[in-house]
């Protein structure tokens, strides 16, 4: 009986030592991927290309832990984070037109209102608050009076997405919490820095680079406004690109701002660009596994004193 008692005590001591050293009993430690964040830029209908980027990441099993979006990037990000599947988002892109979320109006502050976005988002989003999202989301906007960038992470989603999409000159500003807000692209064309502040360790920035003219004279006022902002966005790229780990630029130069009818082509453009960038993303995952496995291999094995003889 004494021998049996010594065996039991030795096994218990061994278990306590393993627990104290944080060494798993049954399997080696499973390494975790770095927190990958996806920064989705603006671009009106061209933002449908973001669906292609998300599609490839899903198909390849790349874990996206955080998303931040500007303008249409906020709309796509909110849809995905709320739980819409890729097929659902593809169907939505095929059925969406400019009039689905906007209407022309006469106002001193803009030619259109995006108030139709309220029923549009209430219909498509599977949850209505940031706190309910399956993936943390940041939505950017710009304070019209101060020029300050604003990033929303809590509360109701719908109005923040409206504010992020309030393209100056086209849509009316949106009032939230006493502030008049316009499109987030004025402060965060591609929201890389907000994503870093949310905790992203690796950032994929999706930039919908493209001009609003074909090299000739502008066709209408919106082409003048759009091309002016495209020029400003290119100038601002020097601020956010160095903060990103990877910049993905789908080829959307041949698409108009309201080319919603070309959803398939835009999704394909996003897929092509993301597949070209996959080798770099895989390196992040492989490096993470190798480093953590090396640390596990070097972890000291607890020494157990030999059992005393009877």
């Amino acid at each position: 009986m004494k021998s049996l008692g010594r065996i039991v005590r030795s096994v218990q001591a061994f278990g306590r030592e393993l627990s104290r050293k944080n060494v798993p009993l049954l399997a080696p430690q499973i390494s975790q991927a770095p927190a990958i964040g996806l920064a989705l830029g603006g671009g009106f209908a061209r933002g449908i290309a973001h669906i292609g980027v998300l599609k490839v990441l899903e198909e390849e099993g790349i874990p996206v832990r955080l998303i931040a979006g500007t303008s249409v990037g906020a709309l796509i990000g909110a849809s995905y984070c709320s739980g819409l599947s890729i097929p659902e988002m593809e169907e939505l892109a095929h059925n969406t037109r400019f009039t689905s979320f906007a209407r022309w109006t006469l106002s001193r502050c803009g030619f259109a209102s995006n108030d139709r976005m309220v029923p549009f988002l209430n219909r498509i989003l599977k949850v209505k608050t940031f706190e309910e999202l399956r993936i943390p989301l940041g939505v950017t906007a710009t304070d019209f009076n101060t020029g300050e960038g604003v990033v929303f992470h809590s509360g109701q989603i719908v109005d923040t997405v409206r504010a992020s999409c309030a393209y100056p000159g086209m849509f009316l500003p949106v009032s939230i919490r006493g502030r008049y807000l316009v499109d987030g692209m004025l402060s965060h064309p591609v929201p890389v820095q907000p994503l870093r502040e949310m905790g992203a360790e690796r950032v994929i920035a999706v930039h919908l680079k493209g001009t609003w003219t074909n090299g000739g004279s502008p066709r209408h006022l919106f082409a003048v406004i759009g091309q002016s902002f495209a020029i400003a966005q290119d100038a601002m790229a020097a601020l956010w690109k160095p903060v990103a780990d990877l910049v993905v630029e789908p080829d959307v130069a041949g698409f108009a701002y309201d080319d919603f009818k070309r959803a398939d082509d835009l999704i394909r453009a996003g897929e092509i660009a993301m597949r070209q960038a996959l080798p770099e993303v895989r390196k992040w995952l492989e490096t993470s596994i190798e480093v953590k496995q090396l640390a596990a291999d070097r972890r000291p094995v607890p020494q157990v004193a030999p059992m005393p003889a009877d």
Side-chain angles (χ1 to χ4, degrees):
M1 293 295 292
K2 290 182 179 179
S3 297
L4 178 60
R6 291 193 186 100
I7 292 172
V8 171
R9 286 193 295 273
S10 296
V11 170
Q12 289 174 336
F14 181 72
R16 286 194 298 271
E17 182 68 8
L18 286 175
S19 177
R20 188 178 70 81
K21 295 284 188 179
N22 198 29
V23 178
L25 286 169
L26 299 178
Q29 183 178 1
I30 299 175
S31 61
Q32 293 183 345
I36 296 176
L38 194 59
L40 304 177
F44 273 93
R46 295 167 176 169
I48 294 173
H50 290 318
I51 299 174
V53 172
L54 287 163
K55 183 177 182 178
V56 170
L57 291 170
E58 256 198 22
E59 289 176 349
E60 298 298 322
I62 308 296
V64 175
R65 302 262 298 277
L66 304 155
I67 294 178
T70 289
S71 197
V72 67
L75 193 156
I76 296 292
S79 301
Y80 187 70
C81 292
S82 78
L84 265 70
S85 67
I86 295 299
E88 287 174 323
M89 294 180 72
E90 289 177 319
E91 182 181 0
L92 180 65
H94 291 146
N95 296 327
T96 297
R97 296 293 183 267
F98 180 78
T99 53
S100 299
F101 54 83
R103 63 181 176 85
W104 299 109
T105 185
L106 292 175
S107 170
R108 294 174 297 173
C109 298
F111 289 94
S113 168
N114 65 5
D115 55 0
R116 286 182 181 174
M117 194 172 284
V118 174
F120 176 78
L121 289 172
N122 279 329
R123 175 172 58 85
I124 67 171
L125 296 182
K126 298 196 174 183
V127 299
K128 301 302 185 292
T129 67
F130 283 88
E131 290 78 8
E132 297 173 282
L133 295 171
R134 67 186 183 95
I135 298 173
L137 173 71
V139 170
T140 70
T142 305
D143 188 306
F144 175 76
N145 291 305
T146 67
E148 177 188 3
V150 182
V151 184
F152 293 94
H153 303 101
S154 62
Q156 298 294 317
I157 299 169
V158 171
D159 279 344
T160 65
V161 173
R162 282 186 63 218
S164 189
C165 294
Y167 196 80
M170 179 176 286
F171 293 123
L172 307 181
V174 175
S175 177
I176 299 179
R177 303 171 193 170
R179 305 175 82 173
Y180 282 98
L181 303 171
V182 292
D183 204 303
M185 71 176 182
L186 293 174
S187 51
H188 297 291
V190 182
V192 174
Q193 187 59 44
L195 205 52
R196 289 287 188 198
E197 293 169 0
M198 289 168 64
E201 297 171 318
R202 295 286 189 177
V203 172
I204 302 172
V206 186
H207 182 210
L208 303 176
K209 180 180 174 64
T211 63
W212 284 58
T213 66
N214 293 321
S217 61
R219 294 184 297 113
H220 44 65
L221 173 62
F222 298 131
V224 174
I225 296 172
Q227 181 66 4
S228 298
F229 280 115
I231 293 168
Q233 280 183 286
D234 283 346
M236 294 175 68
L239 299 177
W240 62 262
K241 279 190 175 182
V243 187
D245 294 289
L246 177 63
V247 178
V248 176
E249 293 186 326
D251 184 4
V252 296
F255 297 88
Y257 79 95
D258 58 350
D259 253 345
F260 294 97
K261 62 185 179 296
R262 299 180 64 187
D264 283 334
D265 295 331
L266 284 161
I267 292 171
R268 191 174 303 111
E271 289 184 68
I272 292 170
M274 191 63 241
R275 289 206 177 277
Q276 291 172 343
L278 274 177
E280 181 62 27
V281 179
R282 288 198 179 103
K283 285 180 186 177
W284 303 343
L285 303 179
E286 290 166 1
T287 301
S288 173
I289 291 172
E290 289 170 0
V291 169
K292 292 185 178 182
Q293 186 59 53
L294 182 61
D297 292 343
R298 290 178 175 174
R299 188 180 296 113
V301 177
Q303 300 297 317
V304 180
M307 262 190 289
D310 290 338

